[in-house]
Amino acid sequence: MSLEDNLQSLNWNKNDAIVYIALIKLGATTPQALSESTGIDRTRVYDSLKRLIASGKVLKEDREWGGKYQAVPVDDVFTQEIEIIKKQLDIAGRLKQELKDIEKSKEDEQRLVWAIQGKKNVRDTIENYLESAKERVYWLMSP
């Protein structure tokens, strides 16, 4: 995976990822130079810079008109990213437990017919059933 793809997997906007990477490579620079370097329209570069500033990943030179932009150091940005992910993992863990606590007991469920769509969903469901099976699995499938 490319750097851009990896940043997008962390929920970064595609153009934001490209602009941030360019700022790291170029150092302090103008939106025009970023546009030329990345091939992204200058208006979209400004949009990305606004989002990156708002999220604390980019700094703007203190000038009323014009000015240069600079990436916040990578260590600072990714310390922040890691903290966000840790908080999300903590929330997901607590949610999982809270939802399991209110989940209807499997013994109380009636046997129902389920339609599972999509190759990944079918594969995941089959794997889950096979992994949790104690003796055997009964399966009825149709096209």
Side-chain angles (χ1 to χ4, degrees):
M1 280 177 87
S2 71
L3 290 172
E4 296 158 24
D5 291 337
N6 284 327
L7 287 172
Q8 287 180 68
S9 73
L10 293 175
N11 295 320
W12 286 47
N13 172 290
K14 181 178 182 174
N15 286 348
D16 295 0
I18 293 168
V19 168
Y20 182 75
I21 292 166
L23 279 170
I24 291 171
K25 291 177 183 176
L26 299 172
T29 192
T30 64
Q32 180 65 38
L34 282 168
S35 177
E36 291 168 2
S37 169
T38 62
I40 298 172
D41 179 69
R42 193 168 44 144
T43 304
R44 301 287 77 83
V45 168
Y46 275 109
D47 292 342
S48 286
L49 289 169
K50 285 179 187 175
R51 284 190 296 271
L52 290 166
I53 289 169
S55 63
K57 296 173 177 85
V58 168
L59 302 172
K60 182 183 185 297
E61 188 177 19
D62 191 20
R63 295 173 89 182
E64 190 171 327
W65 295 101
K68 293 184 177 182
Y69 294 79
Q70 178 178 336
V72 170
V74 173
D75 282 339
D76 295 344
V77 169
F78 283 90
T79 297
Q80 177 185 352
E81 288 285 332
I82 290 166
E83 287 304 313
I84 290 168
I85 292 167
K86 284 180 180 177
K87 287 178 186 174
Q88 290 173 334
L89 283 170
D90 183 53
I91 291 168
R94 281 187 281 124
L95 271 173
K96 177 183 175 183
Q97 189 56 52
E98 288 175 26
L99 292 171
K100 281 184 78 162
D101 291 346
I102 63 171
E103 183 177 38
K104 187 174 180 180
S105 170
K106 296 289 183 197
E107 292 89 38
D108 296 341
E109 288 185 11
Q110 296 177 354
R111 293 187 181 255
L112 302 172
V113 176
W114 295 94
I116 303 166
Q117 299 176 344
K119 284 183 180 181
K120 183 179 181 339
N121 291 336
V122 170
R123 185 178 300 119
D124 290 348
T125 301
I126 291 171
E127 286 176 6
N128 287 337
Y129 277 119
L130 291 174
E131 288 172 5
S132 64
K134 292 181 180 150
E135 275 186 45
R136 58 179 77 133
V137 174
Y138 295 99
W139 209 268
L140 174 63
M141 295 179 67
S142 67

